[in-house]
Amino acid sequence: MAHVAGALRQASPQPRRPVLALFKQIRAAWRLLRTILHFFRGCAIVAIRFPRWNEAQQLAAKQRWSIQLLTCLGVTPVLHGEVVRGGALIVANHISWLDIFVINALRPCTFVCKDDVKDWPLVGWLVANTDTIFIQRGNRAAARRTAESMVEHLQAGVSIVVFPEGTTTNGTHMLPFRPALLQSAVDAAVPVAPVAIRYRDPQHPISPAPAYDGDISLWQCMRAITLADGLVAEAWVLPAIDSQSERAHLAAHAKHEIATQLGVPHHAPASAQG
């Protein structure tokens, strides 16, 4: 009997694996359903109530909705520090589409995004209708209008977020910061506020789940996030940088501060650059 009991104890963990896998699939499906419903709710709020609210109410709603979105996805935000008050150009490393909502949970802001974000289902419409500035590639006149709009917003005391890498990474390294995106801070004479973002889980100091990198689709990325266990989104607001310097220096300084905080290489490996 003792041998039989011992054999049963050794075999007992095995049947649990399919059960755990099934539980994770069900949990992921529930998180996805909640997230989709939350996006529809956000679209309804923006379409019906948002235009009637004052600026303070709109910002509070963006922050509250972003925190709720992270909860729906099973992501715990851990936020460190506060963005300097008044107009500031926030520059952050870029890992995921989630970055927008992590920063909005920290402080609701105006974002500068690529024009193709408007084509994303639900997310695109929501972002396009909540005071987002879009960049059109290959159009100098549009780029000039974007730059002018950024300066106007900053001078009016609005905080704007840019991702100067220009694309996402998997979080293990950083790409060069494009100085042109920091010119608006120089022109508006407002500080640059670096924000470092990292995603982790109990198994990974840098979680691969939220990385919207390479050939992965938005749906695949969302599914990876909802399947993750104990996913944490961390954001650090680093000391503001005076914008009186030349923009290339600002870009290099901001990138150095973020990379140092995250403890990641300041230069991408050859495989990531190619």
Side-chain angles (χ1 to χ4, degrees):
M1 291 294 292
H3 292 296
V4 173
L8 287 173
R9 282 196 300 270
Q10 291 178 359
S12 61
Q14 297 302 322
R16 292 180 59 194
R17 292 180 182 175
V19 174
L20 274 173
L22 178 61
F23 169 77
K24 288 183 69 171
Q25 292 291 337
I26 294 172
R27 185 185 62 185
W30 172 241
R31 287 174 172 174
L32 282 169
L33 176 61
R34 289 183 66 197
T35 300
I36 291 170
L37 291 175
H38 189 61
F39 271 114
F40 276 117
R41 178 174 174 269
C43 289
I45 290 172
V46 169
I48 299 169
R49 302 176 66 184
F50 208 72
R52 296 183 297 182
W53 285 339
N54 60 39
E55 183 181 1
Q57 290 173 314
Q58 290 179 348
L59 293 176
K62 284 172 70 172
Q63 185 174 39
R64 184 170 58 250
W65 189 92
S66 296
I67 294 171
Q68 292 169 346
L69 173 66
L70 296 173
T71 301
C72 289
L73 288 165
V75 179
T76 301
V78 177
L79 311 173
H80 309 271
E82 293 184 2
V83 179
V84 61
R85 292 299 170 185
L89 184 68
I90 299 171
V91 297
N93 59 307
H94 201 12
I95 299 168
S96 176
W97 58 275
L98 265 188
D99 299 345
I100 293 173
F101 305 106
V102 172
I103 294 176
N104 264 337
L106 177 68
R107 176 174 170 181
C109 301
T110 293
F111 285 78
V112 177
C113 296
K114 297 176 183 176
D115 197 53
D116 55 5
V117 171
K118 287 189 287 189
D119 298 328
W120 292 3
L122 288 180
V123 181
W125 187 91
L126 197 60
V127 169
N129 287 275
T130 50
D131 197 24
T132 300
I133 300 172
F134 290 99
I135 299 176
Q136 292 182 11
R137 292 183 174 181
N139 187 326
R140 290 187 178 181
R144 185 170 59 253
R145 287 194 299 270
T146 297
E148 292 170 353
S149 178
M150 290 175 65
V151 172
E152 289 174 5
H153 277 73
L154 291 169
Q155 289 177 335
V158 176
S159 290
I160 295 180
V161 181
V162 296
F163 300 106
E165 290 170 290
T167 187
T168 52
T169 71
N170 62 9
T172 62
H173 60 273
M174 290 179 62
L175 300 174
F177 276 15
R178 300 180 179 183
L181 286 174
L182 280 76
Q183 182 62 43
S184 60
V186 177
D187 294 341
V190 299
V192 172
V195 172
I197 298 173
R198 178 175 66 193
Y199 299 93
R200 57 177 171 83
D201 59 49
Q203 289 75 40
H204 308 92
I206 298 177
S207 176
Y212 190 43
D213 186 37
D215 296 328
I216 189 172
S217 69
L218 179 61
W219 176 255
Q220 289 171 326
C221 186
M222 287 183 68
R223 182 152 174 76
I225 291 167
T226 56
L227 282 168
D229 290 313
L231 188 59
V232 174
E234 285 190 286
W236 291 265
V237 181
L238 306 176
I241 305 170
D242 194 298
S243 64
Q244 291 183 350
S245 304
E246 190 262 339
R247 68 185 190 182
H249 174 76
L250 284 174
H253 188 174
K255 183 191 171 190
H256 178 273
E257 294 300 312
I258 294 172
T260 301
Q261 173 64 49
L262 296 173
V264 300
H266 294 220
H267 302 285
S271 58
Q273 293 177 340

